[in-house]
């Protein structure tokens, strides 16, 4: 019997995925990350010198949002799940309207956010989903585009809204800075980039879960190796996540913003309570127990 390299690689990916799923089910994920990192409080966030606002949602808002076929799997879990909560937050903050052209950056081949947005919107949108693994197809009213996150193949000032869900923390080296510059290039004046969530923590840290690819790209960041760190991702994007201390966020992100844009941070609440509930969303690290979002508006 001949076993192809393709089959071996496929088996390896399957077993790797099962490993991370079992760590999560057993609540054995992010063990070292949870010991070292914690979310920032209000006084610490103030050190970013960025305006901070509250975004108040209701559980009714959430339930109405996940009532679509696209998000039905989240409707079945019985609690406010962090993923559709990110989607609802982004949709609310972008404040889209009829005919807008939008992009979900690093949106993945399933384009779940855009499909959910189109399912609950009562107006038409031109939608792009970008991911480095995509090949330029068009399906379900969505145009899938590839390219690096810092070189997205769309014209200047061609978009009315850009979202980025649970991907910004995985942008290695200087891709975090370069992505924001690229997003500002693509946005029309007065329109927004929304990054959800934004990981502000007590430490500026690089987190790795695979020693084979571990390296420090920023000298001032502490390095955390945690082989239980689902936070660092697995599969095609395995291995890395970044958190910002308030000082590092200001120095790295805010001080490098193009002069024609403005940043705000939003703290998200559902029925007056910080979200997500990590006791139920145990796939998330503890530092995401008080969800924060970065909004950048092009002036």
């Amino acid at each position: 019997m001949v076993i192809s390299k393709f089959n071996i690689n496929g088996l390896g990916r399957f077993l790797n995925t099962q490993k991370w799923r079992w760590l999560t089910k057993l609540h054995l994920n992010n063990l070292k990350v949870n010991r070292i990192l914690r979310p920032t409080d209000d006084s610490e966030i103030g050190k970013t010198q960025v305006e901070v606002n509250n975004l108040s949602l209701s559980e009714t808002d959430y339930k109405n949002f996940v009532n679509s076929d696209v998000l039905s799997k989240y409707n079945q879990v019985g609690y406010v799940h962090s993923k559709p909560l990110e989607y609802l937050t982004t949709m609310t903050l972008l404040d889209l309207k009829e005919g807008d052209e939008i992009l979900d950056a690093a949106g993945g081949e399933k384009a779940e956010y855009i499909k959910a947005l189109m399912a609950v919107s009562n107006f038409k949108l031109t939608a792009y989903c970008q991911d480095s693994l995509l090949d330029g197809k068009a399906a379900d009213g969505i145009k899938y585009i590839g390219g690096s996150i810092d070189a997205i193949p769309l014209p200047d000032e061609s978009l009315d809204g850009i979202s980025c869900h649970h991907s910004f923390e995985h942008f290695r080296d200087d891709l975090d800075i370069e992505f924001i510059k690229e997003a500002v290039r693509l946005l029309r004046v007065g329109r927004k980039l929304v990054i959800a969530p934004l990981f502000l923590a007590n430490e500026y840290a690089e987190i790795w879960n695979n020693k084979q690819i571990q390296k420090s790209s920023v000298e001032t960041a502490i390095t955390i190796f945690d082989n239980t760190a689902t936070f660092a991702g697995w599969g095609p994007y395995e291995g890395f996540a970044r958190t910002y201390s308030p000082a590092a966020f200001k120095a790295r992100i805010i001080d490098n913003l193009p002069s024609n844009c403005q940043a705000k941070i939003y703290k998200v609440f559902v029925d007056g309570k910080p979200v997500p509930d990590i006791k139920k969303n145990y796939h998330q690290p503890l530092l995401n127990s008080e969800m924060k979002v970065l909004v950048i508006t092009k002036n």
Side-chain angles (χ1 to χ4, degrees):
M1 179 178 179
V2 177
I3 301 176
S4 69
K5 182 178 180 181
F6 176 80
N7 287 337
I8 293 173
N9 289 340
L11 177 62
R13 288 193 296 271
F14 172 78
L15 293 175
N16 191 33
T17 298
Q18 294 306 308
K19 163 197 167 183
W20 293 113
R21 285 177 176 170
W22 275 107
L23 281 174
T24 303
K25 286 182 178 180
L26 296 170
H27 297 209
L28 296 175
N29 54 314
N30 302 309
L31 296 180
K32 191 172 182 180
V33 168
N34 287 339
R35 287 200 305 269
I36 297 174
L37 299 177
R38 60 166 177 77
T40 49
D41 59 30
D42 287 350
S43 64
E44 292 170 316
I45 298 175
K47 296 176 183 178
T48 65
Q49 298 181 15
V50 176
E51 180 182 326
V52 180
N53 299 274
N54 292 342
L55 176 65
S56 297
L57 303 171
S58 71
E59 191 163 347
T60 301
D61 296 330
Y62 173 86
K63 288 180 177 178
N64 289 338
F65 184 63
V66 299
N67 202 33
S68 67
D69 290 342
V70 177
L71 300 177
S72 59
K73 64 182 179 182
Y74 301 109
N75 198 18
Q76 297 168 9
V77 300
Y79 59 86
V80 177
H81 192 284
S82 61
K83 182 57 69 175
L85 176 64
E86 293 165 17
Y87 297 161
L88 176 60
T89 296
T90 299
M91 182 184 74
T92 303
L93 291 170
L94 283 178
D95 191 23
L96 300 170
K97 60 183 184 297
E98 177 74 34
D100 277 351
E101 298 186 56
I102 63 168
L103 168 75
D104 193 30
E109 60 184 356
K110 294 183 180 179
E112 186 178 64
Y113 164 68
I114 292 179
K115 290 177 181 177
L117 174 61
M118 295 172 74
V120 301
S121 298
N122 56 3
F123 49 78
K124 292 183 179 179
L125 298 165
T126 299
Y128 299 91
C129 181
Q130 181 277 336
D131 197 285
S132 61
L133 298 180
L134 299 178
D135 59 3
K137 69 176 181 177
D140 302 317
I142 303 168
K143 299 177 182 179
Y144 294 82
I145 57 177
S148 174
I149 201 69
D150 61 339
I152 297 170
L154 290 172
D156 292 358
E157 298 192 349
S158 59
L159 297 174
D160 300 292
I162 300 175
S163 55
C164 185
H165 299 103
H166 234 306
S167 296
F168 187 67
E169 67 274 14
H170 300 302
F171 296 163
R172 301 184 192 179
D173 303 316
D174 288 335
L175 281 179
D176 53 344
I177 298 169
E178 297 305 318
F179 164 62
I180 290 177
K181 292 178 180 177
E182 180 70 349
V184 173
R185 176 187 74 80
L186 293 170
L187 284 171
R188 295 186 174 109
V189 174
R191 307 316 295 264
K192 299 172 184 175
L193 160 68
V194 178
I195 296 172
L198 172 67
F199 287 101
L200 290 177
N202 56 311
E203 295 279 2
Y204 181 27
E206 289 190 339
I207 300 99
W208 301 86
N209 60 15
N210 187 334
K211 279 195 171 180
Q212 292 181 342
I213 60 174
Q214 181 182 354
K215 68 185 183 72
S216 179
S217 62
V218 184
E219 291 182 359
T220 55
I222 68 168
T223 300
I224 300 172
F225 173 73
D226 182 352
N227 59 8
T228 72
T230 49
F231 176 45
W234 66 89
Y237 309 104
E238 181 176 25
F240 173 82
R242 174 189 282 130
T243 63
Y244 301 94
S245 66
F249 176 73
K250 180 181 182 303
R252 186 168 182 83
I253 302 301
I254 300 305
D255 292 350
N256 282 299
L257 284 179
S259 59
N260 61 336
C261 60
Q262 178 185 28
K264 294 182 181 180
I265 294 172
Y266 285 81
K267 300 191 300 178
V268 183
F269 297 85
V270 172
D271 291 336
K273 298 179 181 178
V275 283
D277 182 348
I278 298 299
K279 290 182 179 179
K280 296 176 180 177
N281 289 272
Y282 49 82
H283 59 287
Q284 293 279 356
L286 293 177
L287 62 95
N288 197 30
S289 61
E290 300 172 0
M291 182 174 159
K292 301 171 185 69
V293 178
L294 176 63
V295 177
I296 295 174
T297 305
K298 183 172 181 177
N299 298 321

